[in-house]
Amino acid sequence: MKRYANPLLLCCISIIVIHCSAPQDPEQVRLQFEAPQHVSSEVKLGITNSFDFSDSVLGLVQLDTQGVGEITLHLTEPMLAYMNVQDQGTVLYLTPGDDLNILVDTTAENKVSFAGSGALANNYLLRTGAIRDKMAWSSEQPIWQLEPNAFITRLDSMRDAFEDFHTRYSDSVKLPENLDMLLKHKNRLELITLKENYILVHYAELTENPVLWEKLNTERTKDTNYEVPMDTAFLREALLKYDYSFALDMYLDIQVVWPLYQQMDSPAEEAKDQLPLLSDQEIRDKEYPAAIKEFLIAKNTHEWMMGQGITPVTDSLFAEFKKEYPQSEYLDPINKQYEHWLSLSSGKPAPDITGITPEGKNIALSELKGKVVYVDVWATWCRPCIEEFPNSKSLHKQYEKNDQVTFLYVSIDRNQEAWEKMVGAGKVPEGTHMLEQAKEEDGLWQAYMLSGIPRYLLIDQEGKIANANAPRPSSGKIKEEIDKLMQTKVTAAL
């Protein structure tokens, strides 16, 4: 899961790499790193946008031959960031004036520890993060696999563990009153996001069984509250903003979008095209605090554009949002996505996709230039992807004697053996097969604005985009688009 922080602070942060001077003013933050097992490694300091969850690098420092390095930055407001040293990473809560010593020791029980100004909050976050991870990923049974009663029991136990740790920590150190309150709120948000994740994983099962749904939503112990609070202060606090935005993101799916989809008489493509408008109206009709309503409207617009690209519906949603909220902090990430989708418009050069074949040979989308290419992005673990394969086979049959059309299956699996086994067993339709091996941030996930799979692309004979969000095989629409490209070439040749 990606973490953390507030991109709006980028405008007031400057990065300076230094080696011996202490902070000179109350807005200067110094981070001193000591990582004896990572001599000459690079330390990355970054933030994660709490709206679109994109990462930005704040600073890089090369550790010396002793595994020591330092970063200094100018900070006018608190921020939540992250630090990575090779395979060791952690969240950082930074406030103006902090002088923080960070020890990364892979031989110690607690691999990361903090000392100096700012250590109170960061050591707290390390410990609560360890509690969460241990209880969520129990070796007995991960929390996601539990039945509802057992899930809530585990969640209650985690809440009790958080409260017990908070009491002991507060007894041993003097937490400032405001920080004490923020840390309690953050623990609560951790529990809320775990519950929402559980609902998303088991949504179909829960909604089809009212008894299970009631069990999950019944208050089980004293003053426990695992519901998303409608508190605008959470959107302003750097320590809470990421978790709260993540909670609102899942709330949008659970309480607005997915129920609307289930209410449809027919899940036909035409009906689904109206979901962005329906969910937008649903948000506007509900009584939310103004700042939260703005966030949800923006998020709804962003999510539908991310999934569908620029369509008449998503374009109109964005235009309305810009008109209604001309100064919104969410305009920039939505506009960046809009601009990216423009680069994927019909007629634009198709970004290349590279990988290996089941035989281990290098292959690229660009090598198929001269043919119409229907690209199927899938993975062995993706059930909706596999459910489309029978329709893909039917589509293939209609072009089996046409050497001007080819079908490219691009797997994003990280388990090469599972991919090779499935392709080798004939469980994937015939065609050209590729396992993409680029990192997510460098590959087709970013290049083609993937928000999930399956995803389909249609590339014309000149290697240009015909449709960057092409219809799936079961839609009954893709043959018409392929035939249109074929006819265009014939017409051009006459």
Side-chain angles (χ1 to χ4, degrees):
M1 186 181 299
K2 290 184 177 180
R3 300 212 178 242
Y4 277 95
N6 184 352
L8 299 178
L9 299 179
L10 278 172
C11 60
C12 61
I13 297 172
S14 58
I15 302 300
I16 311 164
V17 178
I18 63 176
H19 296 284
C20 57
S21 61
Q24 299 297 309
D25 64 66
E27 293 183 349
Q28 188 166 293
V29 173
R30 183 172 65 175
L31 306 176
Q32 299 180 85
F33 304 98
E34 183 179 349
Q37 284 80 41
H38 298 286
V39 171
S40 301
S41 295
E42 186 177 70
V43 177
K44 179 172 75 172
L45 182 68
I47 58 174
T48 299
N49 186 311
S50 61
F51 179 76
D52 66 0
F53 309 125
S54 60
D55 287 332
S56 299
V57 176
L58 286 177
L60 298 170
V61 62
Q62 195 78 25
L63 300 179
D64 63 20
T65 55
Q66 302 299 313
V68 174
E70 187 173 300
I71 291 178
T72 297
L73 51 104
H74 187 77
L75 195 64
T76 60
E77 298 179 56
M79 67 175 295
L80 205 58
Y82 65 83
M83 174 208 75
N84 284 335
V85 186
Q86 291 185 358
D87 59 340
Q88 295 298 318
T90 188
V91 63
L92 298 174
Y93 180 57
L94 305 176
T95 60
D98 282 350
D99 190 358
L100 195 60
N101 300 308
I102 304 170
L103 175 64
V104 181
D105 185 355
T106 55
T107 65
E109 180 180 355
N110 298 316
K111 293 182 171 56
V112 181
S113 59
F114 299 94
S117 174
L120 284 182
N122 285 290
N123 281 320
Y124 183 103
L125 294 175
L126 273 177
R127 296 291 299 277
T128 52
I131 291 170
R132 177 201 63 227
D133 292 345
K134 181 179 180 180
M135 298 188 73
W137 298 100
S138 166
S139 58
E140 298 176 5
Q141 195 172 15
I143 196 169
W144 323 109
Q145 297 177 10
L146 300 173
E147 56 88 22
N149 272 333
F151 170 79
I152 289 294
T153 298
R154 180 85 64 86
L155 207 60
D156 285 345
S157 297
M158 193 181 302
R159 183 218 57 211
D160 291 342
F162 280 158
E163 290 181 354
D164 178 63
F165 170 74
H166 187 92
T167 299
R168 288 185 288 107
Y169 197 84
S170 299
D171 287 344
S172 63
V173 299
K174 178 69 174 176
L175 285 172
E177 184 177 348
N178 184 59
L179 179 60
D180 186 283
M181 177 190 67
L182 290 176
L183 291 170
K184 286 180 179 178
H185 285 319
K186 191 173 190 311
N187 290 342
R188 179 186 172 195
L189 287 173
E190 292 277 8
L191 299 171
I192 289 170
T193 54
L194 282 172
K195 178 185 174 183
E196 290 192 303
N197 260 316
Y198 182 87
I199 291 174
L200 289 175
V201 170
H202 297 276
Y203 189 81
E205 173 191 358
L206 290 167
T207 53
E208 289 172 5
N209 190 328
V211 175
L212 286 179
W213 187 266
E214 183 178 354
K215 284 181 180 179
L216 187 64
N217 287 283
T218 299
E219 295 292 349
R220 293 283 300 276
T221 55
K222 49 183 181 181
D223 59 346
T224 304
N225 183 3
Y226 299 139
E227 302 306 313
V228 181
M230 293 297 144
D231 189 338
T232 57
F234 286 16
L235 281 174
R236 298 191 299 269
E237 292 287 353
L239 187 57
L240 308 177
K241 190 171 184 178
Y242 175 88
D243 290 296
Y244 188 56
S245 298
F246 189 47
L248 286 176
D249 186 20
M250 291 188 286
Y251 171 92
L252 179 62
D253 281 337
I254 294 168
Q255 301 296 336
V256 180
V257 178
W258 289 12
L260 284 171
Y261 182 80
Q262 287 194 318
Q263 291 168 19
M264 289 185 167
D265 294 332
S266 169
E269 293 296 322
E270 293 77 8
K272 288 193 290 185
D273 288 345
Q274 297 306 308
L275 267 174
L277 291 175
L278 293 173
S279 51
D280 179 79
Q281 192 59 53
E282 181 82 2
I283 296 166
R284 294 176 183 278
D285 288 345
K286 289 189 176 181
E287 295 295 327
Y288 295 115
I292 292 175
K293 179 167 286 193
E294 177 187 348
F295 177 92
L296 291 173
I297 293 173
K299 194 68 180 179
N300 185 66
T301 301
H302 181 271
E303 293 299 295
W304 284 112
M305 188 182 293
M306 183 166 65
Q308 297 184 354
I310 301 173
T311 68
V313 171
T314 59
D315 197 26
S316 68
L317 286 178
F318 187 31
E320 182 63 27
F321 184 77
K322 286 189 290 186
K323 180 180 177 181
E324 188 172 358
Y325 299 101
Q327 304 300 320
S328 177
E329 64 182 277
Y330 311 123
L331 280 175
D332 185 56
I334 301 176
N335 193 61
K336 284 180 180 177
Q337 183 173 223
Y338 188 89
E339 294 293 331
H340 198 156
W341 273 110
L342 285 178
S343 71
L344 297 176
S345 300
S346 177
K348 298 286 186 180
D352 208 4
I353 305 170
T354 60
I356 59 169
T357 67
E359 296 75 31
K361 296 180 179 180
N362 294 327
I363 186 174
L365 169 64
S366 55
E367 296 174 16
L368 302 175
K369 188 175 180 180
K371 298 182 179 183
V372 174
V373 185
Y374 184 51
V375 183
D376 182 331
V377 184
W378 70 290
T380 58
W381 42 261
C382 171
R383 182 180 297 178
C385 301
I386 295 169
E387 288 175 348
E388 284 288 334
F389 286 165
N391 296 289
S392 298
K393 291 179 180 179
S394 298
L395 184 64
H396 283 209
K397 275 201 163 187
Q398 299 177 68
Y399 295 98
E400 59 185 351
K401 296 182 180 179
N402 191 328
D403 62 0
Q404 296 304 304
V405 180
T406 190
F407 297 84
L408 174 62
Y409 290 86
V410 181
S411 170
I412 63 169
D413 274 284
R414 291 295 171 254
N415 185 334
Q416 184 172 339
E417 184 179 351
W419 170 70
E420 290 175 346
K421 184 177 180 181
M422 192 165 180
V423 173
K427 295 181 180 180
V428 188
E430 292 183 5
T432 303
H433 294 280
M434 173 197 297
L435 177 68
E436 195 208 20
Q437 294 193 307
K439 293 182 179 179
E440 182 177 304
E441 60 269 22
D442 300 322
L444 65 83
W445 198 271
Q446 291 295 325
Y448 285 96
M449 299 288 286
L450 267 64
S451 60
I453 55 174
R455 173 74 175 275
Y456 304 90
L457 315 169
L458 187 60
I459 313 300
D460 71 13
Q461 298 92 328
E462 296 180 359
K464 295 180 179 179
I465 295 170
N467 192 337
N469 197 9
R472 58 181 59 199
S474 62
S475 69
K477 295 181 177 181
I478 186 59
K479 185 177 186 303
E480 180 182 348
E481 293 196 19
I482 294 174
D483 290 346
K484 185 177 179 181
L485 289 178
M486 298 296 295
Q487 184 60 40
T488 300
K489 184 176 181 180
V490 171
T491 303
L494 294 176

